[in-house]
């Protein structure tokens, strides 16, 4: 991506918020939900409410990644191609390692930004590079207490019998996953019951299927967890189709 | 500061490192130490070693703040004025609140960037805004185990009898404070013994004096801790003078 934008040096300190959306021929997918979360993230960082975003300049009728960045000085919307890696992980699934994040679910500091999609993503990238060094694709973070939290850029979703589950964001102190939340809201139409549940890693490993849910990758099925292979689920194509992928 | 720089949108995700230096008429203070830490931070983020930095364009013979920012796409040096707030805090001290960061000293994740000065500073700013909402100036972070760690933009230094102490960076998993380290290295010249010690908050509160050490503010004496006023120390002007302030 060769795009360049003019910023203030203070915009480089991760002190802002962002959203990443799947740009579809029909328009940016789940746009109102993403704009709502952008505003909630901004409030957590004491930023003013984001101004209305002019999407008129976006090339319509294409597929891509749309990113909205909002700092104290800047509101910027960019569009880029979906990487081959993202398409491959949506199709073929991901090998995932779990790792203790070293933080307590119940003792987040009073200024915690763990529920905000802030621009301070260095640790998220570092976690994924750590996985890549071990021939894995992604990471599932757990808390000091042993609860499953989230992945660096996605939410954890699992199937247990006919119940489709994700982690409750407020209780776990994690980002409110828009793709996961939307999936659960439409799960009834394919005969699944939605549920928000705290879960430990051994319980997750015993689930019938596990996915990482995010806007552009959609659902990436977990095909191995901590080196243990998992069979592909017949639900993966059905749920991807339900999400319009 | 009206300076604007051209960046890639991916530079806005906090995925880089930086250093802030006190620019003096004699040149950037402790420049080799800061360049060394920049390189160590870069390595923790799997960035290539920083290229040599051309300081020829800097206006010499002035006092200010020099910031070096280094990302996967960018190396940028900027100079700005020292804020009135920083000068006031160096002169008059700071009112400090302590707060549990909710992380364990012994259980940092394997990709932890807690020892890197990364650009992902949103939580550091959020912690200081949290303090400001309670009429305080700064925060001292503690670990789940109750150990004193660091402040959002400075190291904790304290005097106990004739021993001048700071927190051991490697053991605590915190940033290696350059100003604090330099201060301890020259403490012998004013008859103080240097020591790196893990300390709990009640032990810190019982110290003869406490300071927050950083490059531009220098030493800011802690004049109240969690609402309890502390008398000014005769060592504050001596140590500031020792640091060339």
């Amino acid at each position: 991506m060769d795009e360049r934008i003019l910023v203030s040096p203070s915009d480089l300190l991760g002190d802002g918020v962002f959203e990443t959306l799947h740009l579809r021929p029909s328009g940016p997918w789940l746009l109102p939900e993403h704009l709502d979360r952008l505003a909630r993230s901004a409030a957590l960082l004491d930023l003013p409410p984001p101004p209305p975003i002019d999407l008129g300049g976006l090339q319509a009728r294409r597929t891509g990644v749309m990113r909205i960045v909002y700092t104290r000085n800047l509101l910027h919307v960019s569009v880029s191609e979906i990487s081959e890696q993202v398409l491959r992980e949506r199709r073929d699934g991901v090998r995932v390692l779990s790792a203790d994040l070293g933080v307590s679910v119940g003792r987040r500091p009073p200024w915690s930004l763990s529920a905000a999609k802030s621009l301070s993503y260095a640790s998220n990238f570092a976690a994924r590079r750590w996985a890549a060094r071990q021939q894995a694709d992604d990471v599932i973070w757990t808390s000091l207490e042993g609860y499953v939290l989230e992945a660096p850029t996605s939410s954890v979703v699992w199937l247990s019998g006919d119940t489709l589950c994700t982690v409750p964001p407020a209780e776990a102190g994690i980002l409110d996953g828009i793709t996961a939340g939307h999936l659960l809201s439409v799960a009834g139409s394919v005969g699944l019951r939605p549920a928000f549940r705290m879960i430990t890693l051994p319980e997750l490993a015993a689930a019938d299927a596990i996915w990482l849910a995010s806007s552009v990758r959609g659902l990436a099925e977990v095909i191995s967890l901590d080196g243990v292979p998992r069979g592909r689920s017949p639900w993966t194509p059905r749920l991807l189709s339900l999400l319009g992928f």
Side-chain angles (χ1 to χ4, degrees), chain A residues 30-91:
Chain A
L30 301 175
L31 179 62
E33 290 83 350
H34 281 281
L35 292 179
D36 179 65
R37 188 172 68 180
L38 187 76
R40 284 182 282 139
S41 294
L44 285 168
L45 271 79
D46 298 321
L47 281 158
I53 296 175
D54 178 13
L55 299 175
L58 277 184
Q59 300 160 265
R61 300 182 182 284
R62 61 170 285 195
T63 298
V65 180
M66 176 177 149
R67 178 161 294 164
I68 306 170
V69 167
Y70 178 50
T71 73
R72 290 173 213 281
N73 307 300
L74 177 81
L75 178 70
H76 183 77
V77 180
S78 60
V79 173
S80 60
E81 296 298 316
I82 301 177
S83 75
E84 280 303 317
Q85 183 185 348
V86 163
L87 296 173
R88 187 180 64 244
E89 291 179 354
R90 188 196 295 156
R91 185 183 66 233

Side-chain angles (χ1 to χ4, degrees), chain A residues 126-190:
Chain A
R128 287 170 62 108
R129 287 194 303 269
W130 171 80
R133 280 196 295 275
Q134 298 165 84
Q135 287 72 53
D137 304 301
D138 220 321
V139 185
I140 288 179
W141 287 332
T142 56
S143 76
L144 270 177
E145 298 87 355
Y147 289 117
V148 169
L149 296 174
E150 58 192 337
T153 64
S154 50
S155 314
V156 180
V157 173
W158 66 97
L159 185 68
S160 184
D162 65 351
T163 306
L164 191 64
C165 308
T166 192
V167 176
E171 188 174 349
I174 60 173
L175 191 69
D176 182 10
I178 287 175
T179 306
H182 175 72
L183 178 65
L184 262 63
S185 76
V186 296
S189 68
V190 290

Side-chain angles (χ1 to χ4, degrees), chain A residues 95-118:
Chain A
R95 298 156 300 172
V96 171
L97 300 177
S98 68
D100 179 358
L101 200 54
V103 302
S104 166
V105 163
R107 286 174 69 171
R108 304 273 188 187
W111 60 84
S112 174
L113 303 180
S114 67
K117 197 168 177 73
S118 92

